[in-house]
Amino acid sequence: STTGAAGATKARFNVTATNGTAVISELKFTNTATSGTVTEVRVGSTTAPMVSDVAYLTGLNLTVPNGGTGLDIDAFASYAPVGSTGVTSGGLALLKLCYVKYTIGGTTTTAGSSTCATTGSYPISSAQTMTLVGSKPTVTATQPAGVVLSTGAVEAIDVTITADAAGPISV
């Protein structure tokens, strides 16, 4: 669309704690694919815009229980418009969790890179790569008029594929 897509995809990141119950206060996400394709990230009711392809969420209060399966953190990504009013169709978006600030037993610690640099074992985790397109196909199938099925080659169906108003597609 010309306005982009708000909260269009959900990426689930699982965080575990092993030395006590952890409380996450900050998260950073980065888009490591085509710059500008992700516009903001939302976790719960907290939303942060992408600035230089990094979304910095603060003021969180996410409790991660000690041991067990941990906490699933759902991050909703919003995308830029595609086409003449936005990014080029075919651009990629890859949301990665790159920084976590948390407190366990009164001690505040971080994991990941505060600059979201891709060094060592960071980013911590990533979502699926998304391809942004400016148009989607519409497929219609109809039976041709006057067709009688018999032995041999027969035209049994007509398939039409068209693009919507956002632009051309490749088939």
Side-chain angles (χ1 to χ4, degrees):
S1 77
T2 57
T3 59
T9 60
K10 175 175 77 173
R12 178 164 284 170
F13 300 91
N14 181 265
V15 179
T16 59
T18 57
N19 295 326
T21 299
V23 178
I24 297 173
S25 59
E26 298 177 8
L27 295 170
K28 286 186 182 181
F29 294 90
T30 185
N31 172 32
T32 60
T34 308
S35 182
T37 53
V38 179
T39 58
E40 67 182 19
V41 176
R42 178 176 52 84
V43 172
S45 62
T46 303
T47 303
M50 281 290 202
V51 177
S52 299
D53 286 319
V54 175
Y56 184 27
L57 290 94
T58 60
L60 301 171
N61 188 23
L62 305 173
T63 302
V64 183
N66 183 37
T69 59
L71 174 70
D72 287 332
I73 298 172
D74 293 334
F76 293 86
S78 296
Y79 299 99
V82 179
S84 61
T85 60
V87 298
T88 303
S89 185
L92 302 176
L94 180 55
L95 190 66
K96 294 186 177 186
L97 174 62
C98 55
Y99 175 80
V100 179
K101 183 176 181 181
Y102 60 97
T103 303
I104 294 180
T107 302
T108 300
T109 310
T110 62
S113 167
S114 63
T115 62
C116 288
T118 54
T119 59
S121 61
Y122 301 105
I124 298 167
S125 183
S126 65
Q128 295 294 316
T129 300
M130 302 301 294
T131 302
L132 279 64
V133 294
S135 189
K136 65 185 179 305
T138 300
V139 179
T140 55
T142 58
Q143 182 177 6
V147 171
V148 177
L149 296 178
S150 61
T151 306
V154 176
E155 180 184 9
I157 192 168
D158 284 334
V159 177
T160 305
I161 301 173
T162 56
D164 64 15
I169 59 170
S170 297
V171 179

